[in-house]
Amino acid sequence: MAGTIVLVGAGEFLEGMAAVDRILLATVPDPPARVAIVPTAAAQEDPRAWTDMGEAHYRRLGAQVEPVFVRDRETADDLSLSGAILRSNFVYMSGGSPGYLLESIRDSRSWAAMLDVYHRGGILAGCSAGAMVMGGLTRVRRSAMPGPPQPFSWEWAQGLGLMPNVIVAPHFDRMNEERLRGYREGMPPDFVMLGVDEHTAAVGDGNRFEVMGRSAVTVFRGEASTRYPAGERFTIP
């Protein structure tokens, strides 16, 4: 039995997402809710800042919480860490670097454990980078080239493929037209892009989604786009 995918544009562990999280916590299989916070995307910075926020947030909402410090590719295969993920029924990958997150968890015991939780009917949530990597493709920062510093740019990378024909664009309400064009450049025509606003989540099974939170999700199919505000539903072909 497949579980629930949660794609958050930004705002993990903040009060703006509390109403959404209350609803999600009430739907976990085999309660009580046991949340595993995986801050790998921020491991190059300060992952404990994210886990401290997450612990406080979910404990206020009545859940059990365990930070799981998967910091790199080596720790992603640590049996004690993947075991902690397996004990949960709600996994949350926080924001940071999507490229580093992919490098760290692809084909690892920790990712296999997350999939196990999901296939047991649990919740697999990601915010920003944590949401981006769940699609078939994702944007990562372009590799540094020799010579003078280059302007910030993106390149495509293969995602984890939980939603094979989907691309997730978080912080969508902060994108101007120029940045959106750059983000979509080279996007395969058979892919669907979900532009998820901050403090907003697309919640569903990978095919059918409901928009929850403060704002909206914009769905791009080819050159056409449709904006779905909170409370509305959409389907991905």
Side-chain angles (χ1 to χ4, degrees):
M1 176 182 68
T4 301
I5 298 169
V6 181
L7 308 170
V8 181
E12 70 265 58
F13 316 143
L14 297 178
E15 186 58 31
M17 292 301 296
V20 174
D21 286 330
R22 284 191 186 93
I23 294 169
L24 295 172
L25 290 170
T27 69
V28 295
D30 186 28
R34 301 179 300 281
V35 183
I37 299 174
V38 184
T40 313
Q44 295 173 298
E45 303 165 12
D46 183 11
R48 194 168 293 277
W50 290 107
T51 58
D52 287 349
M53 287 175 59
E55 284 188 84
H57 174 76
Y58 282 111
R59 283 179 179 154
R60 280 196 300 271
L61 299 178
Q64 300 174 13
V65 193
E66 183 171 4
V68 183
F69 288 103
V70 175
R71 298 177 182 271
D72 50 28
R73 188 63 182 81
E74 181 179 359
T75 53
D77 276 331
D78 185 284
L79 285 171
S80 64
L81 296 177
S82 59
I85 294 170
L86 285 170
R87 290 192 295 272
S88 74
N89 49 21
F90 188 142
V91 182
Y92 204 122
M93 292 189 286
S94 63
S97 165
Y100 186 80
L101 177 57
L102 282 171
E103 291 172 6
S104 298
I105 71 169
R106 190 193 303 277
D107 299 324
S108 69
R109 286 192 174 100
S110 288
W111 174 240
M114 294 184 212
L115 288 176
D116 188 274
V117 172
Y118 169 70
H119 288 299
R120 285 189 276 119
I123 293 173
L124 182 51
C127 183
S128 191
M132 292 169 71
V133 300
M134 288 197 248
L137 287 173
T138 187
R139 282 300 208 181
V140 299
R141 291 197 178 202
R142 189 179 301 277
S143 302
M145 302 295 290
Q150 302 294 313
F152 173 82
S153 59
W154 297 94
E155 62 184 10
W156 291 110
Q158 183 180 0
L160 296 172
L162 193 61
M163 301 168 293
N165 66 325
V166 171
I167 293 164
V168 180
H171 308 275
F172 186 74
D173 45 339
R174 290 184 176 268
M175 278 195 186
N176 58 30
E177 289 187 13
E178 180 181 1
R179 188 178 178 197
L180 176 59
R181 282 196 301 272
Y183 199 94
R184 297 188 67 211
E185 184 178 359
M187 174 178 159
D190 57 334
F191 271 65
V192 174
M193 191 178 93
L194 308 183
V196 187
D197 289 356
E198 296 187 345
H199 299 281
T200 305
V203 179
D205 61 5
N207 176 234
R208 295 173 295 275
F209 286 90
E210 179 179 357
V211 181
M212 302 174 70
R214 289 184 178 176
S215 191
V217 174
T218 303
V219 180
F220 291 83
R221 300 176 178 89
E223 295 303 314
S225 65
T226 306
R227 188 165 172 82
Y228 296 91
E232 292 196 1
R233 293 176 170 84
F234 63 88
T235 300
I236 295 173

